[in-house]
Amino acid sequence: MPDDSFTTRILHIDTGAAERVADLTGDCEQFLREAAAGRDGLLNVFVPHATAGIALIETGAGSDDDLLSALHGLLPADDRWQHRHGSPGHGRDHVLPAFVAPHATLPVIGGRLELGTWQSVCLVDTNVDNANRQVRLSFLA
């Protein structure tokens, strides 16, 4: 009998040519319907890129835009960065994962993601030079 206590899937996300907060909650829930099958465990969400992160944030009420605005204030896209390849200010994209971690581990109860009322699982991508992102979803029962 195969061991199904650990299951993983890779999502391919096109973030486009603009900075973006992409809501992954539906993708996470779909994955858990198949992988968790009603069990308790942990969902790990990981983005294997040096210029993106995973955040739990409210979306659709302006908070996603507020996050991008706050990141602009904290990490301006200007010429202060020593890492200089790519578009102007791209060095700040490489600092982003120190502030928005590239992973999150979340509880799964009865096969369902346990989020707060307004929480969504989001990919935060400020790197306009790379529109193709991978996000690894892993369920550990």
Side-chain angles (χ1 to χ4, degrees), residues 109-130:
I109 307 297
R112 295 181 54 102
L113 191 56
E114 285 292 303
L115 293 174
T117 302
W118 303 113
Q119 288 180 316
S120 295
V121 181
C122 297
L123 170 66
V124 179
D125 187 3
T126 60
N127 182 0
V128 298
D129 293 337
N130 184 359

PDB file of all heavy atoms in Angstrom, residues 109-130:
ATOM      1  N   ILE A 109      -7.347  20.862   9.329  1.00  0.00           N
ATOM      2  CA  ILE A 109      -8.186  20.105  10.254  1.00  0.00           C
ATOM      3  C   ILE A 109      -9.339  19.501   9.460  1.00  0.00           C
ATOM      4  O   ILE A 109     -10.074  20.220   8.770  1.00  0.00           O
ATOM      5  CB  ILE A 109      -8.745  21.008  11.384  1.00  0.00           C
ATOM      6  CG1 ILE A 109      -7.618  21.772  12.090  1.00  0.00           C
ATOM      7  CG2 ILE A 109      -9.587  20.188  12.367  1.00  0.00           C
ATOM      8  CD1 ILE A 109      -6.610  20.910  12.810  1.00  0.00           C
ATOM      9  N   GLY A 110      -9.464  18.195   9.540  1.00  0.00           N
ATOM     10  CA  GLY A 110     -10.535  17.520   8.800  1.00  0.00           C
ATOM     11  C   GLY A 110     -10.459  17.755   7.308  1.00  0.00           C
ATOM     12  O   GLY A 110     -11.480  17.820   6.633  1.00  0.00           O
ATOM     13  N   GLY A 111      -9.245  17.910   6.794  1.00  0.00           N
ATOM     14  CA  GLY A 111      -9.050  18.115   5.359  1.00  0.00           C
ATOM     15  C   GLY A 111      -9.235  19.543   4.891  1.00  0.00           C
ATOM     16  O   GLY A 111      -9.118  19.823   3.703  1.00  0.00           O
ATOM     17  N   ARG A 112      -9.513  20.447   5.833  1.00  0.00           N
ATOM     18  CA  ARG A 112      -9.769  21.846   5.456  1.00  0.00           C
ATOM     19  C   ARG A 112      -8.697  22.761   6.019  1.00  0.00           C
ATOM     20  O   ARG A 112      -8.260  22.602   7.162  1.00  0.00           O
ATOM     21  CB  ARG A 112     -11.135  22.281   5.964  1.00  0.00           C
ATOM     22  CG  ARG A 112     -12.278  21.510   5.305  1.00  0.00           C
ATOM     23  CD  ARG A 112     -13.613  21.981   5.813  1.00  0.00           C
ATOM     24  NE  ARG A 112     -13.758  23.415   5.652  1.00  0.00           N
ATOM     25  CZ  ARG A 112     -14.453  24.010   4.716  1.00  0.00           C
ATOM     26  NH1 ARG A 112     -15.092  23.289   3.827  1.00  0.00           N
ATOM     27  NH2 ARG A 112     -14.544  25.324   4.660  1.00  0.00           N
ATOM     28  N   LEU A 113      -8.319  23.742   5.220  1.00  0.00           N
ATOM     29  CA  LEU A 113      -7.353  24.748   5.623  1.00  0.00           C
ATOM     30  C   LEU A 113      -7.952  25.606   6.731  1.00  0.00           C
ATOM     31  O   LEU A 113      -9.066  26.104   6.608  1.00  0.00           O
ATOM     32  CB  LEU A 113      -7.004  25.604   4.408  1.00  0.00           C
ATOM     33  CG  LEU A 113      -5.845  26.567   4.484  1.00  0.00           C
ATOM     34  CD1 LEU A 113      -4.566  25.860   4.880  1.00  0.00           C
ATOM     35  CD2 LEU A 113      -5.668  27.244   3.131  1.00  0.00           C
ATOM     36  N   GLU A 114      -7.240  25.748   7.838  1.00  0.00           N
ATOM     37  CA  GLU A 114      -7.729  26.515   8.982  1.00  0.00           C
ATOM     38  C   GLU A 114      -7.158  27.928   8.923  1.00  0.00           C
ATOM     39  O   GLU A 114      -6.082  28.206   9.446  1.00  0.00           O
ATOM     40  CB  GLU A 114      -7.313  25.833  10.297  1.00  0.00           C
ATOM     41  CG  GLU A 114      -8.109  24.603  10.608  1.00  0.00           C
ATOM     42  CD  GLU A 114      -9.565  24.924  10.931  1.00  0.00           C
ATOM     43  OE1 GLU A 114      -9.821  25.719  11.865  1.00  0.00           O
ATOM     44  OE2 GLU A 114     -10.439  24.367  10.242  1.00  0.00           O
ATOM     45  N   LEU A 115      -7.901  28.812   8.278  1.00  0.00           N
ATOM     46  CA  LEU A 115      -7.521  30.216   8.173  1.00  0.00           C
ATOM     47  C   LEU A 115      -8.485  31.052   8.994  1.00  0.00           C
ATOM     48  O   LEU A 115      -9.627  30.651   9.224  1.00  0.00           O
ATOM     49  CB  LEU A 115      -7.575  30.691   6.718  1.00  0.00           C
ATOM     50  CG  LEU A 115      -6.565  30.084   5.752  1.00  0.00           C
ATOM     51  CD1 LEU A 115      -6.855  30.560   4.332  1.00  0.00           C
ATOM     52  CD2 LEU A 115      -5.152  30.424   6.156  1.00  0.00           C
ATOM     53  N   GLY A 116      -8.032  32.233   9.404  1.00  0.00           N
ATOM     54  CA  GLY A 116      -8.916  33.186  10.038  1.00  0.00           C
ATOM     55  C   GLY A 116      -9.921  33.708   9.034  1.00  0.00           C
ATOM     56  O   GLY A 116      -9.759  33.550   7.821  1.00  0.00           O
ATOM     57  N   THR A 117     -10.943  34.379   9.518  1.00  0.00           N
ATOM     58  CA  THR A 117     -12.062  34.835   8.694  1.00  0.00           C
ATOM     59  C   THR A 117     -11.612  35.588   7.446  1.00  0.00           C
ATOM     60  O   THR A 117     -12.113  35.353   6.356  1.00  0.00           O
ATOM     61  CB  THR A 117     -12.999  35.733   9.518  1.00  0.00           C
ATOM     62  OG1 THR A 117     -13.459  34.976  10.644  1.00  0.00           O
ATOM     63  CG2 THR A 117     -14.184  36.197   8.700  1.00  0.00           C
ATOM     64  N   TRP A 118     -10.653  36.481   7.571  1.00  0.00           N
ATOM     65  CA  TRP A 118     -10.264  37.324   6.442  1.00  0.00           C
ATOM     66  C   TRP A 118      -8.914  36.949   5.849  1.00  0.00           C
ATOM     67  O   TRP A 118      -8.391  37.664   4.998  1.00  0.00           O
ATOM     68  CB  TRP A 118     -10.254  38.807   6.851  1.00  0.00           C
ATOM     69  CG  TRP A 118     -11.580  39.227   7.375  1.00  0.00           C
ATOM     70  CD1 TRP A 118     -11.866  39.587   8.663  1.00  0.00           C
ATOM     71  CD2 TRP A 118     -12.807  39.310   6.661  1.00  0.00           C
ATOM     72  NE1 TRP A 118     -13.196  39.895   8.791  1.00  0.00           N
ATOM     73  CE2 TRP A 118     -13.800  39.726   7.563  1.00  0.00           C
ATOM     74  CE3 TRP A 118     -13.177  39.064   5.345  1.00  0.00           C
ATOM     75  CZ2 TRP A 118     -15.120  39.902   7.199  1.00  0.00           C
ATOM     76  CZ3 TRP A 118     -14.494  39.252   4.977  1.00  0.00           C
ATOM     77  CH2 TRP A 118     -15.452  39.669   5.900  1.00  0.00           C
ATOM     78  N   GLN A 119      -8.330  35.831   6.273  1.00  0.00           N
ATOM     79  CA  GLN A 119      -7.001  35.462   5.780  1.00  0.00           C
ATOM     80  C   GLN A 119      -7.080  34.730   4.450  1.00  0.00           C
ATOM     81  O   GLN A 119      -7.925  33.849   4.260  1.00  0.00           O
ATOM     82  CB  GLN A 119      -6.281  34.563   6.791  1.00  0.00           C
ATOM     83  CG  GLN A 119      -5.818  35.293   8.024  1.00  0.00           C
ATOM     84  CD  GLN A 119      -5.122  34.353   8.987  1.00  0.00           C
ATOM     85  OE1 GLN A 119      -5.565  33.246   9.239  1.00  0.00           O
ATOM     86  NE2 GLN A 119      -4.009  34.823   9.522  1.00  0.00           N
ATOM     87  N   SER A 120      -6.179  35.082   3.562  1.00  0.00           N
ATOM     88  CA  SER A 120      -5.975  34.382   2.299  1.00  0.00           C
ATOM     89  C   SER A 120      -4.495  34.058   2.177  1.00  0.00           C
ATOM     90  O   SER A 120      -3.645  34.786   2.688  1.00  0.00           O
ATOM     91  CB  SER A 120      -6.392  35.262   1.115  1.00  0.00           C
ATOM     92  OG  SER A 120      -7.774  35.526   1.141  1.00  0.00           O
ATOM     93  N   VAL A 121      -4.186  32.980   1.479  1.00  0.00           N
ATOM     94  CA  VAL A 121      -2.807  32.587   1.210  1.00  0.00           C
ATOM     95  C   VAL A 121      -2.418  33.224  -0.115  1.00  0.00           C
ATOM     96  O   VAL A 121      -3.075  32.983  -1.134  1.00  0.00           O
ATOM     97  CB  VAL A 121      -2.674  31.050   1.115  1.00  0.00           C
ATOM     98  CG1 VAL A 121      -1.225  30.657   0.854  1.00  0.00           C
ATOM     99  CG2 VAL A 121      -3.222  30.370   2.357  1.00  0.00           C
ATOM    100  N   CYS A 122      -1.367  34.056  -0.099  1.00  0.00           N
ATOM    101  CA  CYS A 122      -1.024  34.828  -1.294  1.00  0.00           C
ATOM    102  C   CYS A 122       0.445  34.724  -1.674  1.00  0.00           C
ATOM    103  O   CYS A 122       1.318  34.688  -0.809  1.00  0.00           O
ATOM    104  CB  CYS A 122      -1.351  36.300  -1.059  1.00  0.00           C
ATOM    105  SG  CYS A 122      -3.099  36.598  -0.801  1.00  0.00           S
ATOM    106  N   LEU A 123       0.679  34.725  -2.960  1.00  0.00           N
ATOM    107  CA  LEU A 123       2.009  34.888  -3.528  1.00  0.00           C
ATOM    108  C   LEU A 123       2.248  36.379  -3.687  1.00  0.00           C
ATOM    109  O   LEU A 123       1.414  37.081  -4.272  1.00  0.00           O
ATOM    110  CB  LEU A 123       2.092  34.196  -4.883  1.00  0.00           C
ATOM    111  CG  LEU A 123       3.337  34.460  -5.726  1.00  0.00           C
ATOM    112  CD1 LEU A 123       4.569  33.879  -5.057  1.00  0.00           C
ATOM    113  CD2 LEU A 123       3.153  33.892  -7.122  1.00  0.00           C
ATOM    114  N   VAL A 124       3.359  36.867  -3.154  1.00  0.00           N
ATOM    115  CA  VAL A 124       3.728  38.276  -3.281  1.00  0.00           C
ATOM    116  C   VAL A 124       4.919  38.339  -4.230  1.00  0.00           C
ATOM    117  O   VAL A 124       5.983  37.786  -3.943  1.00  0.00           O
ATOM    118  CB  VAL A 124       4.086  38.897  -1.914  1.00  0.00           C
ATOM    119  CG1 VAL A 124       4.484  40.359  -2.081  1.00  0.00           C
ATOM    120  CG2 VAL A 124       2.919  38.750  -0.946  1.00  0.00           C
ATOM    121  N   ASP A 125       4.725  38.993  -5.363  1.00  0.00           N
ATOM    122  CA  ASP A 125       5.753  39.032  -6.404  1.00  0.00           C
ATOM    123  C   ASP A 125       5.954  40.473  -6.867  1.00  0.00           C
ATOM    124  O   ASP A 125       5.075  41.059  -7.492  1.00  0.00           O
ATOM    125  CB  ASP A 125       5.343  38.149  -7.576  1.00  0.00           C
ATOM    126  CG  ASP A 125       6.430  38.005  -8.618  1.00  0.00           C
ATOM    127  OD1 ASP A 125       7.537  38.532  -8.422  1.00  0.00           O
ATOM    128  OD2 ASP A 125       6.166  37.353  -9.646  1.00  0.00           O
ATOM    129  N   THR A 126       7.112  41.032  -6.540  1.00  0.00           N
ATOM    130  CA  THR A 126       7.439  42.388  -6.980  1.00  0.00           C
ATOM    131  C   THR A 126       8.385  42.400  -8.174  1.00  0.00           C
ATOM    132  O   THR A 126       8.734  43.459  -8.681  1.00  0.00           O
ATOM    133  CB  THR A 126       8.076  43.202  -5.832  1.00  0.00           C
ATOM    134  OG1 THR A 126       9.270  42.548  -5.400  1.00  0.00           O
ATOM    135  CG2 THR A 126       7.105  43.343  -4.662  1.00  0.00           C
ATOM    136  N   ASN A 127       8.804  41.230  -8.621  1.00  0.00           N
ATOM    137  CA  ASN A 127       9.782  41.115  -9.704  1.00  0.00           C
ATOM    138  C   ASN A 127       9.077  41.115 -11.058  1.00  0.00           C
ATOM    139  O   ASN A 127       8.551  40.099 -11.494  1.00  0.00           O
ATOM    140  CB  ASN A 127      10.590  39.827  -9.523  1.00  0.00           C
ATOM    141  CG  ASN A 127      11.652  39.646 -10.572  1.00  0.00           C
ATOM    142  OD1 ASN A 127      11.813  40.468 -11.463  1.00  0.00           O
ATOM    143  ND2 ASN A 127      12.385  38.558 -10.476  1.00  0.00           N
ATOM    144  N   VAL A 128       9.099  42.247 -11.721  1.00  0.00           N
ATOM    145  CA  VAL A 128       8.439  42.360 -13.024  1.00  0.00           C
ATOM    146  C   VAL A 128       9.252  41.717 -14.147  1.00  0.00           C
ATOM    147  O   VAL A 128       8.770  41.607 -15.271  1.00  0.00           O
ATOM    148  CB  VAL A 128       8.116  43.831 -13.362  1.00  0.00           C
ATOM    149  CG1 VAL A 128       7.161  44.414 -12.332  1.00  0.00           C
ATOM    150  CG2 VAL A 128       9.381  44.671 -13.473  1.00  0.00           C
ATOM    151  N   ASP A 129      10.479  41.282 -13.840  1.00  0.00           N
ATOM    152  CA  ASP A 129      11.321  40.638 -14.846  1.00  0.00           C
ATOM    153  C   ASP A 129      11.021  39.151 -15.010  1.00  0.00           C
ATOM    154  O   ASP A 129      11.505  38.521 -15.949  1.00  0.00           O
ATOM    155  CB  ASP A 129      12.804  40.794 -14.488  1.00  0.00           C
ATOM    156  CG  ASP A 129      13.269  42.239 -14.559  1.00  0.00           C
ATOM    157  OD1 ASP A 129      12.644  43.041 -15.270  1.00  0.00           O
ATOM    158  OD2 ASP A 129      14.253  42.579 -13.876  1.00  0.00           O
ATOM    159  N   ASN A 130      10.263  38.554 -14.085  1.00  0.00           N
ATOM    160  CA  ASN A 130       9.967  37.119 -14.140  1.00  0.00           C
ATOM    161  C   ASN A 130       8.495  36.905 -13.854  1.00  0.00           C
ATOM    162  O   ASN A 130       8.062  36.962 -12.714  1.00  0.00           O
ATOM    163  CB  ASN A 130      10.824  36.351 -13.130  1.00  0.00           C
ATOM    164  CG  ASN A 130      10.616  34.854 -13.227  1.00  0.00           C
ATOM    165  OD1 ASN A 130       9.835  34.363 -14.018  1.00  0.00           O
ATOM    166  ND2 ASN A 130      11.335  34.119 -12.401  1.00  0.00           N
TER     167      ASN A 130
END
